Amino acid sequence: MSEWQTKQAGERVIQFFVIQDRAVKTASNQSEYMHITLSDASGTLQARLWDVTEKQKEAFQPRMVVKVDGRIEFFRGIRELHIYRIRLATEEDQLSMEQLVPHARRSKDEMWREIIGVIEQVKSPVLSRVLKTVANNRELRDALTSYPASKAYHHAYYAGLLEHMVTLSRAVRALSPVYEVNRDEMLALCILHDAGKVRKFSNAAAPQVTKQGELFGHLILSSDILLEAADEAGISRDHPEIETLRHSILSHYGDVENGWGSPVSGRTREAVLFHYLDQLDSKLSAMSQAAESASDTARGVYVPMLKRNMYAGEDLS
Amino acid sequence: MSEWQTKQAGERVIQFFVIQDRAVKTASNQSEYMHITLSDASGTLQARLWDVTEKQKEAFQPRMVVKVDGRIEFFRGIRELHIYRIRLATEEDQLSMEQLVPHARRSKDEMWREIIGVIEQVKSPVLSRVLKTVANNRELRDALTSYPASKAYHHAYYAGLLEHMVTLSRAVRALSPVYEVNRDEMLALCILHDAGKVRKFSNAAAPQVTKQGELFGHLILSSDILLEAADEAGISRDHPEIETLRHSILSHYGDVENGWGSPVSGRTREAVLFHYLDQLDSKLSAMSQAAESASDTARGVYVPMLKRNMYAGEDLS
Amino acid sequence: MSEWQTKQAGERVIQFFVIQDRAVKTASNQSEYMHITLSDASGTLQARLWDVTEKQKEAFQPRMVVKVDGRIEFFRGIRELHIYRIRLATEEDQLSMEQLVPHARRSKDEMWREIIGVIEQVKSPVLSRVLKTVANNRELRDALTSYPASKAYHHAYYAGLLEHMVTLSRAVRALSPVYEVNRDEMLALCILHDAGKVRKFSNAAAPQVTKQGELFGHLILSSDILLEAADEAGISRDHPEIETLRHSILSHYGDVENGWGSPVSGRTREAVLFHYLDQLDSKLSAMSQAAESASDTARGVYVPMLKRNMYAGEDLS
Amino acid sequence: MSEWQTKQAGERVIQFFVIQDRAVKTASNQSEYMHITLSDASGTLQARLWDVTEKQKEAFQPRMVVKVDGRIEFFRGIRELHIYRIRLATEEDQLSMEQLVPHARRSKDEMWREIIGVIEQVKSPVLSRVLKTVANNRELRDALTSYPASKAYHHAYYAGLLEHMVTLSRAVRALSPVYEVNRDEMLALCILHDAGKVRKFSNAAAPQVTKQGELFGHLILSSDILLEAADEAGISRDHPEIETLRHSILSHYGDVENGWGSPVSGRTREAVLFHYLDQLDSKLSAMSQAAESASDTARGVYVPMLKRNMYAGEDLS
Amino acid sequence: MSEWQTKQAGERVIQFFVIQDRAVKTASNQSEYMHITLSDASGTLQARLWDVTEKQKEAFQPRMVVKVDGRIEFFRGIRELHIYRIRLATEEDQLSMEQLVPHARRSKDEMWREIIGVIEQVKSPVLSRVLKTVANNRELRDALTSYPASKAYHHAYYAGLLEHMVTLSRAVRALSPVYEVNRDEMLALCILHDAGKVRKFSNAAAPQVTKQGELFGHLILSSDILLEAADEAGISRDHPEIETLRHSILSHYGDVENGWGSPVSGRTREAVLFHYLDQLDSKLSAMSQAAESASDTARGVYVPMLKRNMYAGEDLS
Amino acid sequence: MSEWQTKQAGERVIQFFVIQDRAVKTASNQSEYMHITLSDASGTLQARLWDVTEKQKEAFQPRMVVKVDGRIEFFRGIRELHIYRIRLATEEDQLSMEQLVPHARRSKDEMWREIIGVIEQVKSPVLSRVLKTVANNRELRDALTSYPASKAYHHAYYAGLLEHMVTLSRAVRALSPVYEVNRDEMLALCILHDAGKVRKFSNAAAPQVTKQGELFGHLILSSDILLEAADEAGISRDHPEIETLRHSILSHYGDVENGWGSPVSGRTREAVLFHYLDQLDSKLSAMSQAAESASDTARGVYVPMLKRNMYAGEDLS
């Protein structure tokens, strides 16, 4: 929790924030002000910058990091920040995104090392080469290790996608002695099934859905990433292991009839098993995330992904 | 595969069968004959007993085991058995059901020992006592170790319910280091969530849905078994561990809105996780079962529970 | 309608209310105030208690009855009460809940006498004993005669559950000469089908969903009450009349496929008939309730349970 | 039950039947024969007329009544009639349809007198005139008193529509003291809501769906009959009582969202109440009808309208 | 865009508006004011009339046209009009509705001439007479040329219904060489399928749903208009061309199972083809309408009828 | 219609057929025979080859063309062919598939010339190059001009896919003056939206679903063909025209929520318009196809794609 969350009216706040959104409005005295939605790792804060200049209107855009100096006020019981001074962050500020956005519980370096270890366990030469091609692509790797898995529903924070990959790969390794499945394909699925999220979203810190996200959806984008990696690794797109892996990616939203977006229903053991694992991992994450953000005095915790309150152990009556 | 499955027209068959169903019909020459559906571990065979007597009409009822001597004939390309002699099996025949009905891959004794080991791992005194009460109830134990998990969809064979319990408990033990859940409740769920199947079905060998099965369904019947065991073990039905376990049993068919029969949607991590584990275990079993019964020359394998063909690795074109 | 509903700004209000909800907020002058939602039989009123003390913060909790002295103000055209003085009600105030909460049109004593008369008409010794056991249980009787049938949808007021029981039992008695059904089971259903509501809700005046309500839902809780009464009356849970009654309770939300929460679809004439009677009674009540709370000038009446406006006879154009 | 249902192979049958359907086929010896589906009040019987002449091919059409002389044979265990002689019935045969088709339990005259009594109870001059106009229209009356209410689902027999009207009007009269509704509109609904069935079906004895039935459906056809009667009675189609009655007819299949065919959802108490009454009357009839046609030894009774077996009181296991 | 949309706080506005809605409220100083929603062709503006008199309260009703003189103020960043003077418009003001309400892109006279041309192309004497009867009915013609096609979803503006008729008839004429259909029926459908909208809505300028709209829906009302026109033209309602046209009108919402309100599913080529044409015309109109009202800076355009954002060509990221 | 369809029992048939399916069975005299499903352009014929040899069992496989000499027999009123002689067709037989399979009404050469004309009308250099790349790929062109559009539902005959492309492109050219859309993208869609069908099915004459068809579905396969053509034509996959075209291909099954298999809902005018055009073209084709195969005496025509009977103009009663 950041300091500003406990500040009282009139107290001062000086720190870095990410601009989530902003709009210029006209005050009753005819002057213009900018209404800015700021965020840092602990949450979101509304702010006002009075008598905004033309230069400021241009300078401060969504996704930018700014240093702000201001004073807390209360409007209808809600904290607001009235800004005295504001400037863009610079290289010299030496900020890391993990300071500024909500993030996974473990460090991204540690989680990425775990994924590298997973890739090393893949015995199929074909899948191993594909996964290494992805892991060695700097741009992809940077995105895979920083993007959220979704905007709001589950793993909706910095490096949330990576955390989803890590937890799923643990589940797969745990279950592979229990169910007869192609372990290599299952591990590849953990890493690639949602890889398209890095094209669906515009960036890791203030994610918006991109044009490609709107036009294709992440199942198709993940399939694209797989095929591109196969091309780069010199493996035919018709290779049986590529085809069944692609099938499992395309069908991981479950049966076509669900109307969730799978263009094809799962027809292999791997596709069927992975769909349920992905569901349970996403939903348990959604529950954890809701529980963490709930205030102490709350009665039950509402989980948007499940559209209901969770029961957390104490008597609700 | 039994011998009779490869016999040609005119060849003789002498062996034990279970009567699945029978009906008396009138032949064109006005005499009566009995049309009997016989089964053994390898499948189902239609048979005719000509010039059936009143005594035979009374004697041979569904679920009875009979010794049959007859000759194979073909009718429209299908094997039929024309019966010469038939009698009820007796104690002296020293038959075990595992000879006569399709059964799980491992022996029921071996699987039951594994379940006993699972119960011993449960640390909660409350859940431990409940599970031991169930395991020590001779009638329940006999049923839990012999019934199928369903009539046709998944684990639909002798001791299939026990196999479902075993596989699920392995999955739970494998996943419990990955997901923060109450391991004891999860293990208890593996053993109890479908326990009501032993009241839903009439018997292990030729299961029919009982009156209780029709009127209540197995979610309610499993909940009943839990509460009765709690009563017997001297634990209050309002004990928090009993209440959340009962909740997970009642909600293991997933969201109410699915229309599958859960009277309440899962509201705890355990309920949500168990629902998906149960789904994946059932569906992987359904796929295995369909694959095993498919003939060699079949193109793809139809899985009734999933209402589609599975793809099994070779090119379908 | 209470007096406060016609008071103008500045006029004084002194009366008893139930606290529905309250929250402590910080005013722009940094002092704390309590925002309280008050209710009496005629509706809901927002109130503010300025400069709230620590003692007051602790003392005034939801569901408590308080005596309030304050002044009406208007905020954005809405009446608010600014509280001068507030204290908890005491025994000496000799209040009855019917003064303080919206309630059924007939007195609860009169309605309960009608239910007793219904029970006396039940000829089946088994069902008669079960119903008398319920009626003689003081705690259950107090709840059955005071709880609402739902929080908002239908019969959502003090003793609404009892009114639902009464109207349904009249419908059953009226229809039993028309349709061949087991009248005793039908009458028992009127009284018991929603009995679980008294465990689903925390109390009659300011009902919240309880832990049992969240975990089991009222179909299961009604079934529990039936079985407990059978136990107490010394009747086996396997008695055919208990089993079919339990079936009708569990299936009174209609077909499983509806996704409304029945764990089993109705399979008897009584279950099918009762489902539709319950639907029509609930929906006609929801329409009456919406019509009564609608203002005179309203064009059509929105009924939340039906998610549409009702047409009430005059031209809407 | 007719005599033919118990006849053995070789025994003779001479009686009247209705032709339900017929087709000319070529036998293996190249001669033509007619395969005829015959029915009388107790059921349906397949028949063959060998060496059929051109004249016979033209003469014997569906819905015609014929006198048949033939011999019972068994083909694959099913009774068939081999016809010696066949002729069309004539006026002199003095047949009534009630001898020849399955029919309601009470006589149609008795039921029609009850409906006349219902119409006399209607106090609204407008609705009374409309109903009398319908009742006095000879053609309509003949159809309303002889058609089935559906081809297979409920009241699917001669005068089944009339029986449905009678039972519903009893239910309405029984419930009108319980629920505040416009009793006159409710009674008019009982008589008119399904009146369009007489245009949806081609005739009473061997009903086929007509062109109007295919193109409009019976809700629209019932609405048409109402408006035509209003025209004939000199009442404006815009009269408020005609409009709300028409609304209830059009919405009696329930909410538009059901996808059952209501063009508008019920928005009055009468429309909502009538929808549920119609549902319960139809479904209880469907259950009775299925129970009556079930053989003694059947385990449970399958009800096509409800798509499930009913439980009838004895243990199914 | 009207002038008022760019006026700053304090600037004066004098012009005609339509009253969409109004309510009398009490200000904090106890005086009454009227809150009025005004509209003209370019949009909607909130206004306040302080110290409203009893006479004014009666005089200014929804759908009236008023001349207003006032001053722009900003409340929470939203433009409001504080009214100095207000009077009802009179004949002398010589206003046309096209000045006052949002309207179709082409003039209604021009569009109506196109429809007259379409009617002249209809070769079937029956359909030609029906269409001319409708076109020559002054009241109907006035409504058909001024009403919107819906309140908000598509062609939701003055003469929007006429525009829908025009565009559809162009599509039909374009497609009739491609698909073998009855062109005359298709053209008649363009003109009549939504004709009931003129009875569903109360008026063209500030449309509310009428009593008939609530009770019957526009499919039935369009069918009524067809039948009335046939009556007037002396054509039997049972004429095959009238029946199939009526069928296509009643089924133009697609399959019954959709739950959109068709009482019957399309069973002719014309019905099936017209359903899809109507869908695509409505949805393309909805997209145009949303695009036109979107501000320049908007990212994507939300289309309420489609419940999603449209992609308009530029990169969204 | 082929000659064999009118042959009587005992008459001889000598002609070419395609083997659709075959199975070896054992006759009652213990000898083996082959049951073969033959087809030619006019339909399907069951045949028997008695005393089949091992060589014949191997030689005659599905999709092969054979010359058959045999005699018509009737079995239960159905024509069957008893084969005397059978051999595989050879090059010398100089057969064209159009003789042997049901085919589109126009010749494939004529239709392909029309498609070439359409491609020439495309003005966008990008889309023009893509389409020409596809048209010049011999293998693709051969498949696009011979495959059916589906196995049974619509355009389910030789060159049916091509006919679907032709009709759609006519509809697009007809409608493009009416609706403001990108005509080039629309024309490209006509040609490419179902191109994946040539990978979904194994061949044109006796189509089976391929492995790729099972694993990906034709939406994905059409998108693959587009991207491969873009690669070959040297156009970036990220080119805006490629991206929106790909979007329209992926979304042409309509809204994701339909559960028909679109991985993304249409978000451009072109995608929305094309979806409805494709629906109406497919469904009108399905209706034509059903009408053509219906016998003269049929009452109404059942259309499998629409799951209902069509009304064809004459009175059904």
Side-chain angles (χ1 to χ4, degrees), chain B residues 202-222:
Chain B
S202 57
N203 62 77
Q208 300 297 333
V209 178
T210 61
K211 176 182 169 185
Q212 288 207 329
E214 298 276 352
L215 295 186
F216 307 135
H218 84 275
L219 298 185
I220 301 298
L221 294 171
S222 298

Side-chain angles (χ1 to χ4, degrees), chain C residues 8-9 76 311 315-317, chain E residues 30 63 75 208 211 214:
Chain C
Q8 293 305 317
R76 328 208 99 248
Y311 167 71
D315 196 326
L316 298 174
S317 63
Chain E
Q30 295 292 79
R63 262 156 291 155
F75 182 67
Q208 299 298 331
K211 175 182 169 185
E214 298 275 352

Side-chain angles (χ1 to χ4, degrees), chain C residues 30-291:
Chain C
Q30 295 291 79
S31 69
E32 285 186 325
Y33 67 95
M34 189 183 273
H35 185 274
I36 314 180
T37 305
L38 298 171
S39 74
D40 69 1
S42 67
T44 285
L45 177 65
Q46 302 304 320
R48 285 170 204 252
L49 176 62
W50 300 104
D51 301 309
V52 65
T53 64
E54 286 307 308
K55 214 163 153 187
Q56 286 174 321
K57 285 197 236 173
E58 267 172 44
F60 301 122
Q61 300 289 340
R63 263 157 290 156
M64 289 177 170
V65 177
V66 286
K67 187 164 187 187
V68 169
D69 177 359
R71 193 185 66 242
I72 290 295
E73 300 292 348
F74 277 75
F75 181 68
R76 328 208 99 248
I78 306 290
R79 257 182 204 79
E80 268 190 9
L81 187 67
H82 287 222
I83 299 175
Y84 297 149
R85 289 187 304 178
I86 178 169
R87 69 161 169 83
L88 294 179
T90 63
E91 286 295 310
E92 288 100 75
D93 293 324
Q94 289 187 306
L95 293 162
S96 94
M97 285 313 283
E98 285 176 298
Q99 289 175 260
L100 287 171
V101 292
H103 52 272
R105 268 163 297 184
R106 297 168 57 216
S107 90
K108 72 183 208 184
D109 288 345
E110 188 187 335
M111 292 193 289
W112 183 245
R113 275 193 302 275
E114 185 167 336
I115 291 297
I116 293 298
V118 167
I119 294 175
E120 274 157 15
Q121 288 184 19
V122 171
K123 291 179 192 144
S124 148
V126 163
L127 298 182
S128 175
R129 269 155 63 201
V130 164
L131 292 172
K132 283 176 181 162
T133 303
V134 168
N136 292 332
N137 177 320
R138 189 193 182 82
E139 198 183 345
L140 259 178
R141 186 180 61 223
D142 285 353
L144 288 171
T145 55
S146 61
Y147 273 58
S150 78
K151 279 188 68 173
Y153 276 168
H154 72 98
H155 301 93
Y157 39 75
Y158 191 79
L161 175 55
L162 181 56
E163 194 175 69
H164 184 43
M165 287 156 56
V166 165
T167 326
L168 273 173
S169 67
R170 290 179 180 184
V172 161
R173 282 174 291 165
L175 285 181
S176 64
V178 181
Y179 295 107
E180 218 177 293
V181 282
N182 181 330
R183 187 177 187 266
D184 287 348
E185 182 179 325
M186 295 297 296
L187 293 175
L189 274 169
C190 297
I191 295 167
L192 294 177
H193 80 289
D194 269 354
K197 294 278 174 82
V198 308
R199 293 186 182 168
K200 177 175 177 181
F201 296 123
S202 56
N203 62 78
Q208 299 298 331
V209 178
T210 62
K211 176 183 169 184
Q212 287 207 329
E214 298 276 351
L215 294 185
F216 307 135
H218 84 275
L219 299 184
I220 301 298
L221 294 171
S222 298
S223 157
D224 283 357
I225 288 172
L226 165 65
L227 297 184
E228 292 165 20
D231 288 354
E232 199 180 326
I235 299 162
S236 165
R237 293 169 170 224
D238 295 346
H239 190 285
E241 291 182 68
I242 301 298
E243 287 199 331
T244 52
L245 177 55
R246 191 186 185 196
H247 167 68
S248 295
I249 288 173
L250 289 171
S251 66
H252 85 260
Y253 262 12
D255 291 1
V256 168
E257 292 72 18
N258 289 349
W260 295 359
S262 289
V264 69
S265 302
R267 290 168 180 275
T268 60
R269 294 176 70 84
E270 291 74 21
V272 168
L273 175 52
F274 190 79
H275 165 63
Y276 290 112
L277 282 187
D278 183 47
Q279 286 295 304
L280 72 85
D281 191 73
S282 309
K283 279 170 185 160
L284 290 178
S285 152
M287 292 171 77
S288 299
Q289 187 177 317

Side-chain angles (χ1 to χ4, degrees), chain A residues 8-10 74 76-77 299 309 311 313-317, chain C residues 26-28 30 63 75-76 202 208-211 214-215:
Chain A
Q8 294 305 316
F74 277 76
R76 326 207 101 248
R299 290 164 38 96
N309 280 323
Y311 167 70
E314 72 283 11
D315 195 326
L316 299 174
S317 61
Chain C
T26 304
S28 49
Q30 295 291 79
R63 263 157 290 156
F75 181 68
R76 328 208 99 248
S202 56
Q208 299 298 331
V209 178
T210 62
K211 176 183 169 184
E214 298 276 351
L215 294 185

Side-chain angles (χ1 to χ4, degrees), chain D residues 182-223:
Chain D
N182 181 330
R183 188 176 184 268
D184 287 348
E185 181 180 328
M186 295 297 295
L187 292 175
L189 274 168
C190 296
I191 295 167
L192 296 176
H193 80 289
D194 269 355
K197 293 278 174 83
V198 307
R199 295 187 180 167
K200 176 175 177 181
F201 295 123
S202 57
N203 62 77
Q208 299 298 331
V209 177
T210 62
K211 175 182 170 185
Q212 287 206 331
E214 297 276 351
L215 294 185
F216 307 135
H218 83 275
L219 299 184
I220 301 298
L221 294 171
S222 298
S223 157

Side-chain angles (χ1 to χ4, degrees), chain D residues 19 106-108 111 133 154 187 215 245 313:
Chain D
I19 295 177
R106 297 166 59 213
S107 88
K108 72 181 209 183
M111 293 193 288
T133 303
H154 72 98
L187 292 175
L215 294 185
L245 177 55

